Amino acid sequence: MKKIGLVGGTGPESTLMYYKELNSRIDSMTGSKAMPDIAIESVNFRRAWDYVSSGNYAELTKYISEKVSLLKSSGSEVIALTAGTMHIVFDEIEKETNVSLISIPRAVRDEALRRNYKKVGLLGTIFTMKKNYMKKDLVGSGTEVVVPCREDRELVAKRILEELELGIVKDTTLREFNEIIDKMRIESGIEAVILGCTELPLLLNDDNCVLPCMDSVDIHIRELIRLATMDD
């Protein structure tokens, strides 16, 4: 089994999900005979977020690339970022480190194609909803991506940053998000919603959402497991 390397801390809650799920799922897959070797390089979330917020992508690339290089030097063979927003400099990190990272957007694109979705909604941080990095692979494969209106985007981003990033889950926020998703369904005809921030699965899932969820964490973890357990 290949060693898995994770760039974590963006934020801590999603990093915990990755660590727990990778261990428990592989343990179950192997009949309680093996768990993966995992290395985690955790970043200072506030520092990384400041780089994103200020548009200082050169420093963000440098900072995350240092973490990826440390994972590579530790022997990690399957390396990934545990946050959708950090994919804003994904291509630059790959170029800087010469490491082929396992991409959240590409994994989500492949799942959308598998499910034959033609139009999906996207929720995430304000950068994930506004920028192109989470959408381009989907759009390139023929899947239309819809984001909420400006007011709703700002609400979603606020709840992620002030609640979910801190592990706070509220019923009132669940109702707000479902109203936003249902509005996109009615106005734009979306078939499903992408949970494009890795903290969103703390709040939304197929059982409590008005539409099917494409959980980017679950999709990404399944791809990491596939690559870590496949024969060379």
Side-chain angles (χ1 to χ4, degrees):
M1 189 185 308
K2 299 180 181 68
K3 183 176 180 179
I4 299 171
L6 304 174
V7 177
T10 50
E13 294 297 326
S14 65
T15 307
L16 289 171
M17 282 191 283
Y18 273 85
Y19 184 76
K20 180 180 178 180
E21 290 299 317
L22 285 166
N23 275 289
S24 62
R25 294 187 196 190
I26 291 178
D27 189 45
S28 178
M29 283 174 54
T30 61
S32 299
K33 293 180 180 178
M35 289 186 179
D37 289 323
I38 301 176
I40 299 176
E41 281 292 333
S42 187
V43 307
N44 176 345
F45 172 74
R46 300 300 179 193
R47 178 179 171 186
W49 189 257
D50 284 347
Y51 288 149
V52 175
S53 300
S54 64
N56 194 346
Y57 300 140
E59 285 300 318
L60 180 65
T61 298
K62 180 180 177 182
Y63 186 37
I64 302 297
S65 293
E66 289 171 356
K67 302 297 184 179
V68 170
S69 294
L70 286 169
L71 290 168
K72 182 180 179 181
S73 65
S74 78
S76 297
E77 299 174 84
V78 177
I79 301 175
L81 314 178
T82 62
T85 301
M86 296 304 121
H87 283 67
I88 200 167
V89 290
F90 183 90
D91 293 340
E92 291 83 355
I93 293 168
E94 285 198 321
K95 183 177 180 180
E96 179 74 19
T97 62
N98 198 30
V99 171
S100 295
L101 302 172
I102 313 307
S103 161
I104 292 175
R106 291 173 194 161
V108 170
R109 172 203 61 194
D110 292 344
E111 181 66 14
L113 288 171
R114 188 186 71 79
R115 298 189 191 186
N116 199 32
Y117 288 146
K118 302 302 181 186
K119 184 181 289 189
V120 295
L122 172 63
L123 299 184
T125 65
I126 198 69
F127 305 101
T128 294
M129 291 184 286
K130 288 177 66 176
K131 301 290 186 178
N132 196 39
Y133 56 89
M134 196 71 184
K135 306 168 191 171
K136 61 182 181 180
D137 291 303
L138 285 156
V139 173
S141 69
T143 303
E144 186 176 347
V145 181
V146 177
V147 297
C149 66
R150 179 177 178 180
E151 181 181 353
D152 289 343
R153 288 199 302 268
E154 291 174 353
L155 176 64
V156 169
K158 180 179 175 66
R159 297 291 186 257
I160 289 172
L161 189 59
E162 296 181 0
E163 295 176 15
L164 298 179
E165 290 283 3
L166 303 176
I168 299 169
V169 180
K170 296 182 179 180
D171 289 339
T172 52
T173 300
L174 175 61
R175 287 195 294 272
E176 289 173 336
F177 279 35
N178 265 317
E179 288 171 1
I180 290 169
I181 294 165
D182 202 39
K183 186 191 298 184
M184 288 194 289
R185 178 187 66 82
I186 294 168
E187 295 180 354
S188 301
I190 64 170
E191 304 164 79
V193 61
I194 297 168
L195 307 183
C197 169
T198 47
E199 274 74 35
L200 280 170
L202 294 171
L203 179 73
L204 286 164
N205 56 62
D206 283 333
D207 294 329
N208 65 16
C209 186
V210 295
L211 281 178
C213 292
M214 293 187 66
D215 179 345
S216 62
V217 174
D218 176 67
I219 293 167
H220 198 210
I221 286 172
R222 284 191 274 117
E223 181 65 3
L224 291 174
I225 291 172
R226 185 186 73 82
L227 293 170
T229 57
M230 71 184 297
D231 294 331
D232 291 325

